Amino acid sequence: MRALIKIIKEQYHSFYLIMRLAKFQLRIDNQNNYLGFAWEILNPAIQMAMYWFVFGFGVRGKENITNGHSEIPYIYWMLAGISMWFFINKAILNGSKAIYQKYTMVAKMNFPLSVLPSYIIMGKYYGHLALVGLIMVVFWIKGYYPSIYYIQLIYFLLMSYILAFAITLVTSTLTVVVRDIQMLIQSLLQAMFFLSPILWDRSTSMPHWIQSILQLNPFYYLANGYRASLLYNDWYIVEHWQLTLYNWGLILFLLLIGSTAHFKFRNRFSDFI
Amino acid sequence: MAESVIIKNVTKTYRMYKTKGEQLKDLVLPGKSGSDFNAIEDISFAVEKGDVVGLVGINGSGKSTLSNIIGGIVPPTSGEVIVDGEVNVIAINAGLNSQLTGIENIEFKCLLMGYSKERIAKVMPEIIEFSELGDFIYQPVKKYSSGMKSKLGFAISVTADPDILIIDEALSVGDQTFADKSLAKMNEYKKRGKTIFFVSHNLSQVRSFCTKIAWIEGGHLREFGPTNIVMKNYSEFIKKYHKLSPEDQKAFRDKLANRRKQNNK
């Protein structure tokens, strides 16, 4: 518990540092492209168009997706969920590598090491916010206007960041000790992509116990949360309060393990790198 | 005078593995496979404020390990280092990014060193001035020559202004005028009573700059004392070492290396 408080304090005091470093990271990543930052949005946009073509036209046809109360065309349903996924996927992949890739850069300084994964995540977060903004505009054009439920969207946007941080706090430390973990994460994320209701949701036609297991996946909660706020207009947090509690419990648990592991290995990172 | 750095029985041991498998086994069952290598062994000495200590020794003797331990970058395996004040290690290339411009790199590196927004704004003009880069400061670092890179790196590092400074081979770069300017900056630090550790193979620089010398050989402290005494012995040793045939030099190094190895089996 003490480790967790220390991490949170470190993050809080380094807020300016995280923002600036994230900005520099974006510049480093996009320096060579003429379009620069625009690629952070163009890239996922092209992928979205592809998924929509393959799954929207090819596989699903013009079906609507229901949440029980109202129906939403597949393409919008998919867009809302997948925007979250592009962020989470990149943030976890790159965030896990953060310590072993960037450690030498800060090795000779008194640097708060837990900032390494969080500034990588923050860099991806900027792109995410821009992408969500773009999708919102598409929704407005199509008649899904801003509502009081946008407040809930802020909650889910924040939660995506916190979840990504909690996961990478664990994985960035583990990856330093055993490099193979990075490969494992890559495979797991691919599996999660198809186990989460991002491209499809057939869970209602599955046996009840499988449905329950699928809901234990934190990305399930996030994807549906984004949709509830942007499209379905219902209070997902309250209607599925058990999931809300479960997911915060999971985040707390990850943060606890992550911060303990981080401080246990922090002084020995240099031995592993 | 007050002691600013006290090094007490410091040992640093690295685990060495022949294969990835051994490393994995050691992770699961600690102490069963692999062997130990003592990078430095049982080193103790104390340094006073205002001392400039030269760390000398042939390659692989453990100088950098020792300076990293004093700088707090690497924790010692046993023993302790008591440091009075803020330590900064001057390393030329750490933290420079080739995609960013000179200006951006200054801010980037200052952020990594933990500077506040206000402090960065204050030191920025000083660093630009010291680096002598002119308009190149707005160009990405990938367009710099290696001399320009080290000028920028050094300019950023010296503005950190810590109480204890560790300079690891940092003055061996750049042209002569810049090296002189850097040495002048170091001398200014010396006058202000800062403790400096100076790692270098350039014996004339060490001789003119240091007040004390710690001679490290094969991970052990062979001699520690005032520059004139230790330097005399060390130069004699180096002369003798250079005269040895390559085979004898290798035999000498192997003998030292074997002393530092500890096989578990």
Side-chain angles (χ1 to χ4, degrees), chain A residues 117-132:
Chain A
S118 48
Y119 95 75
I120 299 283
I121 297 173
M122 186 57 88
K124 297 291 163 208
Y125 200 56
Y126 289 151
H128 177 53
L129 293 182
L131 190 67
V132 170

Side-chain angles (χ1 to χ4, degrees), chain A residues 16-17 20-21 24 27-28 31-32 103-109 111 119 177-178 267 270-272, chain B residues 12 14 27 68 73-75 89 91 94-95 97 99-100 104 107-109 111-113 117 142 168:
Chain A
Y16 174 74
L17 180 68
R20 292 300 291 173
L21 289 180
F24 279 124
R27 210 171 287 173
I28 292 165
Q31 180 69 244
N32 289 327
Y103 182 82
T104 45
M105 183 176 88
V106 295
K108 305 223 166 188
M109 299 151 207
F111 190 82
Y119 95 75
V177 181
V178 182
N267 286 332
S270 65
D271 292 349
F272 289 105
Chain B
K12 178 70 195 179
Y14 286 104
L27 207 61
N68 282 342
I73 298 154
V74 175
V89 181
N97 189 291
Q99 300 289 339
L100 300 176
E104 286 170 338
E107 190 190 341
F108 191 59
K109 207 169 166 185
L111 283 170
L112 296 184
M113 289 193 292
K117 197 174 165 183
K142 62 183 169 194
D168 195 342

Side-chain angles (χ1 to χ4, degrees), chain A residues 14-27:
Chain A
S14 312
F15 189 64
Y16 174 74
L17 180 68
I18 294 171
M19 305 286 279
R20 292 300 291 173
L21 289 180
K23 209 194 102 203
F24 279 124
Q25 186 59 39
L26 278 179
R27 210 171 287 173

Side-chain angles (χ1 to χ4, degrees), chain A residues 1-16 18 112-115 118 161-162 165-166 169 248 251-260 262-263 266:
Chain A
M1 198 64 194
R2 213 186 301 145
L4 176 59
I5 292 167
K6 225 167 132 185
I7 285 272
I8 291 172
K9 266 193 190 153
E10 204 170 83
Q11 293 290 315
Y12 175 75
H13 289 300
S14 312
F15 189 64
Y16 174 74
I18 294 171
L113 287 170
S114 70
V115 164
S118 48
Y161 181 86
I162 297 170
F165 177 68
L169 193 61
W248 281 109
I251 286 178
L252 188 70
F253 175 69
L254 286 171
L255 282 174
L256 271 173
I257 302 187
S259 53
T260 312
H262 182 86
F263 281 114
R266 175 178 272 196

